[in-house]
Amino acid sequence: MTGSAEDAHRTSGQLATLLIDASEEAIGVAGGHSGGIYLRSGTPGLLRLAVLAGLPGPLFRPWWRMHVDRPFPVADSYRLGVQVVLPNATETMRRYPQFAAGLPFQFGSLYVPVVGGGITYGVLTVLRPSAADAAELMHHRDRLVVLAEDLGAALLRLENGRGGPPVAWDGEPVCVRPPGTRPPAGRAGGFAWDPVTDVVTVDERLPALLEVPAEQFGPGVHALAQALAPADPSRVLAALRETAAGRPPPLPLYVRAEDEALRLVELWSPYAAPSPPGTPSGAHPVRGFVVDPGPGAAADAAADLLPDGILCLDRLGVIHYANPRAAQLLQRPRAELLGRSLWEGVPWLNQPTCEDHLRGALLSPDPVRFHVARPAVESAVPPSEEAGGTPYEGAWLDVCVFPGPDVLACTFRPANRVAEAAGLRLPAEPDETAPEEAPRAVSLAPLYRPIVLAIALTEAVTARQVAAVVMRELLPAFGGRRLAIYLLQDRHLYLAWENGFPKGFLTPFEGVGLDAHLPGVETLTSGRPLFFDSMQQLTEAYPGIPLDATRGARAFLPLIASGRPVGSCILGFDVPRTFSTEERAVLTALAGLIAHAMEKAQRYESEAALARGLQQALLPRRLSVHPQVDTAGRYLPGTQGMEVGGDWYDVVEAGDGLALVIGDVQGHGVSAAATMGQLRSAVRAFALGDRPPDEVLSGINHLLIDLDPGQFASCCYIRLDPVSGLARAANAGHPPPLLRHPDGHTDVVDLPGGVVLGVDPHARYPVTELLIEPGAVLALYTDGLVERPGVDIDEGITALRVALARAGASAARPGRRPLAGVADRLTAKARHTADRPDDIALLLATRRVAARNHRRGGSHPLHPPTPT
């Protein structure tokens, strides 16, 4: 193994150890029953679950990956750098409805960002029993914060040590048992394996524990695996090799020894001890021990006699006990159940119905009861071997799960009436405990998908956002990889969104009419969804239709809202597949939700276009100029929400001076833009009359209260004398101006302003005087330029001050007009940001360095010079 590869393996092991220890300690300090750690990944904007403690990983696969922009508590904690405390299911539903719809169970949760050296590495999370309110969890949160700080510092050291790679996680989560739930230690024995020499050593207790001669453990790892689990040595051998490869230790294994008794095998590798130079990959030394979980034969013998099937699972879903009746009802021999996860031991239980109910039992304290259909195959358990019954075909089973702090007890019994209704043959023996009416099992996972999608679509207001929600929520649920959404306009379909299709493949379908013989057209005109299990089916139904390179399935869904055609949606799959009746029904329902969202988005974009046009008409086409003053303004609309708002700036003649104005009306859309226009007109009228700054703000304050008592705005008004440089300023709740002096030093101008406009009719706005030297640059701006979610606005103002100091060096050089370039540089980052949550206005002004002063005489000083 090379030095760099060896360091990478060692770093990986150290990282896993750090995360496992931190997650287990977090569960303890927060009084939780499970938890984990999300880490940043190699994919920008994507978090991955690195460690999951106290819960089986396969049941929580949908939450292994988390985009940082999703409205989920983990994403908010990471993106905003805040702690999120959700004491119960009610508060979770109120604040994070999509998250609550996916896990609709009674539990509380805490989320704390893991930060080291200013770097946010991930999020520490704990799931715990419900609490009455957040106050009950403040002590637990504070302890988690300390633990997260320690973990962040350790991750920073790990990243910086030996020039290690950036700390990130791109694999599957490591699943571990929570602290305090490990099986009680009975008799135990240990062993060691050196992968380089393939030498196995055991202590004197292990042969006695397994009742195997000592020589049977050698000479190599294959003999060790055979001695530990004679019935299934391959599982132990695979786990040993994974551990030797320097990967995180696998889950503890339950195996059957020679005497058929259940034994627990745990493995680890001493990551801190470096492998010898030249060691090949996958050659870390491995240590392990075997534990007899202890007595329990009497309890097992009693449960063996019960008429119901009984399973005992730990919190990772591993089966510790199964009585003979459970083996018969589940159609699996006991030897294939014990020591395996439930979905591994009983593969046909690996279905959404069971998964959702098991999640509920693991996350909430109440028992869970449901019904599940067993496949119609002959029992794998001979009646003579287990319960003395007879083989029988598939039937419905009544399942109850009773959760405990460390284990889950499951009971199984035939549900007679459901089976009879389904026409299935029942066991020979009567079951007097069957319920009077057993409702048919329904898969909650597909049913909650429409709920999750509906909640997400309520927050999407543009066609692009609707399509992004469909990509994020719908396609992964059904295994799709490709999406195209067409919208109807003037009896033609136009592509609004595509993802995953080859470049240019959809171009021939752009603008097709409603008379075209295409599935995307006919699904809309007929109102019926079209499903094709393979490309062969598609070509048989539509001969000559262009196809891409894949052979997968396609679903064409009509987008119809309240009886009105909106467009069509195409889902693409890379491989052939069959659409079940349930999937077809769910996809059809989801298409209706998408159609309503798209229709809403079209109305929204029409209103947004009207608001943009109104705002552009109200913003100044040109700014008043003066021979000794240069000004530059910039406006950027937001790209989230209504996109346009009430930000404005202006430069107005005020006697022999100039009035510099900037303002921000609350809200977005046509109303905010209209209010902005009225205020701008009022400010211009006051300024042209050369009214003092305090009178200007008081006047528009009363105007806004009269116009709309529920509306408010901020504003900064500065009257500048271009000759003397004296400026008189008043502020109404607006961010403070910045002043860059000729020597480059840049200050935040402290204006003791009054309250925002539109709140208090008796508000007063004090006037502050300051001197603007020749070559100095004054910057007025709105909060959209300096405010970021989760970041204090003072930090944004500081960053803008530094940027102005760097960008304004040549702002007042004679003979040039570089201020426009300064404005471009200050707004460059915002201009290239795809998602701007707010609109942005910026106004810069500088007094020119000139050879002579201009006063009255000749052309009016406020008029632009005559062009030559």
Side-chain angles (χ1 to χ4, degrees):
M1 180 186 294
T2 64
S4 59
E6 180 183 343
D7 288 343
H9 275 292
R10 186 181 302 114
T11 300
S12 174
Q14 292 170 343
L15 174 60
T17 301
L18 277 174
L19 299 179
I20 291 170
D21 291 346
S23 62
E24 292 185 343
E25 186 175 354
I27 293 173
V29 302
H33 50 65
S34 54
I37 298 176
Y38 281 87
L39 282 189
R40 61 185 185 178
S41 71
T43 303
L46 181 68
L47 302 177
R48 284 188 179 270
L49 184 60
V51 171
L52 182 61
L55 292 173
L59 284 186
F60 293 86
R61 185 179 292 272
W63 295 270
W64 284 9
R65 295 156 43 102
M66 183 70 61
H67 288 278
V68 297
D69 60 349
R70 295 195 72 182
F72 276 47
V74 168
D76 276 1
S77 182
Y78 179 86
R79 187 181 69 254
L80 306 179
V82 298
Q83 300 114 34
V84 178
V85 179
L86 303 174
N88 48 50
T90 301
E91 183 68 7
T92 303
M93 176 59 78
R94 185 184 70 81
R95 295 177 57 186
Y96 296 96
Q98 290 187 50
F99 176 60
L103 293 172
F105 311 117
Q106 297 297 323
F107 67 95
S109 52
L110 301 96
Y111 308 83
V112 177
V114 177
V115 182
I119 302 171
T120 303
Y121 290 104
V123 177
L124 181 63
T125 177
V126 173
L127 310 183
R128 64 180 314 281
S130 296
D133 53 44
E136 289 187 30
L137 304 184
M138 290 301 100
H139 174 64
H140 297 300
R141 183 207 61 183
D142 294 343
R143 297 179 69 185
L144 277 184
V145 168
V146 174
L147 181 59
E149 291 173 351
D150 292 343
L151 177 59
L155 294 178
L156 180 64
R157 289 193 298 270
L158 182 64
E159 186 170 270
N160 294 336
R162 301 187 184 92
V167 169
W169 194 274
D170 286 293
E172 295 184 358
V174 178
C175 299
V176 296
R177 285 175 171 78
T181 65
R182 301 185 187 278
R187 297 182 299 150
F191 62 88
W193 172 49
D194 184 350
V196 178
T197 62
D198 199 24
V199 172
V200 174
T201 56
V202 300
D203 62 22
E204 67 280 1
R205 296 171 296 173
L206 187 58
L209 172 65
L210 298 179
E211 299 181 2
V212 174
E215 57 272 14
Q216 191 167 330
F217 289 93
V221 68
H222 290 276
L224 173 64
Q226 183 68 36
L228 294 177
D232 192 4
S234 60
R235 295 177 65 223
V236 176
L237 189 62
L240 285 165
R241 288 173 173 166
E242 284 287 302
T243 308
R247 300 186 180 92
L251 292 180
L253 299 172
Y254 284 94
V255 298
R256 282 285 177 185
E258 191 70 44
D259 60 357
E260 289 297 313
L262 197 64
R263 300 287 188 264
L264 169 66
V265 179
E266 295 217 31
L267 304 173
W268 76 95
S269 179
Y271 298 104
S275 302
T279 301
S281 176
H284 286 281
V286 177
R287 303 289 184 268
F289 64 86
V290 182
V291 176
D292 179 354
D300 289 357
D304 285 351
L305 302 176
L306 296 178
D308 291 340
I310 297 177
L311 290 184
C312 180
L313 316 174
D314 67 12
R315 292 195 64 82
L316 294 185
V318 176
I319 301 172
H320 289 197
Y321 168 79
N323 71 349
R325 180 62 166 158
Q328 182 193 33
L329 292 175
L330 297 175
Q331 302 174 329
R332 304 289 290 177
R334 295 176 75 184
E336 295 183 12
L337 294 174
L338 299 175
R340 298 177 183 269
S341 66
L342 181 62
W343 37 92
E344 182 185 10
V346 191
W348 58 266
L349 283 177
N350 187 17
Q351 52 182 284
T353 301
C354 300
E355 289 182 357
D356 200 62
H357 287 298
L358 285 173
R359 279 193 288 263
L362 286 162
L363 295 178
S364 57
D366 300 324
V368 173
R369 182 179 181 183
F370 60 100
H371 291 80
V372 63
R374 181 182 51 206
V377 296
E378 186 173 295
S379 173
V381 183
S384 59
E385 174 187 333
E386 294 291 4
T390 58
Y392 52 92
E393 295 180 354
W396 288 92
L397 297 180
D398 180 11
V399 185
C400 289
V401 184
F402 301 90
D406 299 336
V407 297
L408 284 74
C410 306
T411 65
F412 299 84
R413 65 181 64 174
N416 288 7
R417 293 185 181 275
V418 174
E420 290 170 358
L424 300 175
R425 190 152 51 90
L426 294 175
E429 68 272 22
D431 183 4
E432 298 177 355
T433 62
E436 281 300 314
E437 286 197 20
R440 177 169 180 167
V442 178
S443 171
L444 295 184
L447 288 182
Y448 84 70
R449 275 294 169 188
I451 301 173
V452 173
L453 185 63
I455 295 171
L457 288 175
T458 61
E459 301 175 359
V461 293
T462 67
R464 181 174 65 88
Q465 291 172 343
V466 170
V469 168
V470 175
M471 280 291 301
R472 188 176 65 233
E473 301 292 347
L474 177 61
L475 284 190
F478 292 89
R481 299 290 298 274
R482 305 177 183 212
L483 171 70
I485 295 180
Y486 285 86
L487 297 181
L488 182 64
Q489 182 179 355
D490 298 329
R491 295 188 58 78
H492 289 77
L493 288 174
Y494 295 92
L495 185 64
W497 178 276
E498 67 167 309
N499 187 277
F501 286 94
K503 185 177 181 180
F505 172 73
L506 296 177
T507 302
F509 305 103
E510 177 72 6
V512 297
L514 295 185
D515 56 348
H517 181 57
L518 293 170
V521 173
E522 295 188 1
T523 188
L524 179 62
T525 56
S526 67
R528 294 183 296 103
L530 303 175
F531 298 94
F532 301 96
D533 296 348
S534 65
M535 284 297 187
Q536 182 179 355
Q537 284 190 4
L538 180 60
T539 54
E540 290 174 355
Y542 295 88
I545 186 174
L547 303 176
D548 56 22
T550 63
R551 301 169 49 230
R554 291 288 183 270
F556 297 84
L557 308 175
L559 301 182
I560 299 174
S562 303
R564 295 186 298 274
V566 175
S568 58
C569 176
I570 305 172
L571 305 181
F573 303 83
D574 287 347
V575 296
R577 58 159 296 167
T578 300
F579 296 92
S580 67
T581 302
E582 184 181 44
E583 286 178 322
R584 293 176 183 232
V586 170
L587 284 171
T588 302
L590 294 179
L593 295 177
I594 297 169
H596 280 282
M598 279 295 183
E599 185 185 46
K600 181 186 70 175
Q602 289 177 313
R603 291 197 304 267
Y604 161 84
E605 288 173 349
S606 297
E607 181 182 351
L610 175 62
R612 281 194 297 270
L614 176 60
Q615 187 171 50
Q616 290 298 325
L618 294 174
L619 285 173
R621 295 179 180 273
R622 56 182 290 274
L623 301 177
S624 298
V625 297
H626 188 281
Q628 291 178 259
V629 177
D630 192 11
T631 58
R634 295 291 182 269
Y635 172 78
L636 299 175
T639 57
Q640 297 178 0
M642 183 50 75
E643 292 191 356
V644 293
D647 289 18
W648 94 93
Y649 61 87
D650 209 347
V651 179
V652 189
E653 298 177 7
D656 57 357
L658 289 178
L660 310 173
V661 191
I662 196 160
D664 184 0
V665 177
Q666 174 210 26
H668 298 83
V670 175
S671 176
T675 301
M676 176 270 285
Q678 292 171 306
L679 293 185
R680 176 174 174 266
S681 297
V683 170
R684 291 184 67 88
F686 283 120
L688 290 171
D690 203 12
R691 304 284 292 274
D694 55 335
E695 292 187 19
V696 174
L697 293 187
S698 294
I700 60 175
N701 179 45
H702 286 96
L703 173 64
L704 183 57
I705 292 174
D706 291 340
L707 287 173
D708 186 353
Q711 186 72 275
F712 62 84
S714 66
C715 182
C716 184
Y717 182 95
I718 299 179
R719 199 272 188 190
L720 172 65
D721 183 341
V723 177
S724 67
L726 178 65
R728 305 182 72 239
N731 191 15
H734 201 80
L738 302 178
L739 181 60
R740 185 192 187 279
H741 300 281
D743 62 0
H745 177 68
T746 305
D747 293 324
V748 177
V749 181
D750 184 17
L751 297 181
V755 299
V756 293
L757 306 170
V759 174
D760 180 8
H762 306 293
R764 295 291 180 264
Y765 301 97
V767 176
T768 301
E769 293 187 351
L770 60 149
L771 181 65
I772 310 296
E773 303 171 87
V777 179
L778 181 69
L780 306 179
Y781 54 91
T782 56
D783 56 6
L785 187 59
V786 294
E787 201 168 33
R788 296 291 180 273
V791 178
D792 192 284
I793 191 173
D794 290 338
E795 294 183 23
I797 294 174
T798 300
L800 180 62
R801 179 179 62 80
V802 173
L804 177 61
R806 295 172 177 171
S810 61
R813 291 179 184 173
R816 301 181 61 189
R817 299 182 63 83
L819 203 61
V822 176
D824 288 337
R825 287 193 288 275
L826 294 182
T827 56
K829 182 177 180 181
R831 201 165 52 247
H832 293 93
T833 300
D835 293 319
R836 291 189 296 271
D838 199 1
D839 45 350
I840 293 170
L842 172 70
L843 176 62
L844 302 180
T846 184
R847 292 180 64 212
R848 286 179 169 274
V849 178
R852 57 189 177 87
N853 291 332
H854 293 265
R855 203 57 167 163
R856 298 185 184 276
S859 63
H860 195 287
L862 295 179
H863 294 163
T866 304
T868 58

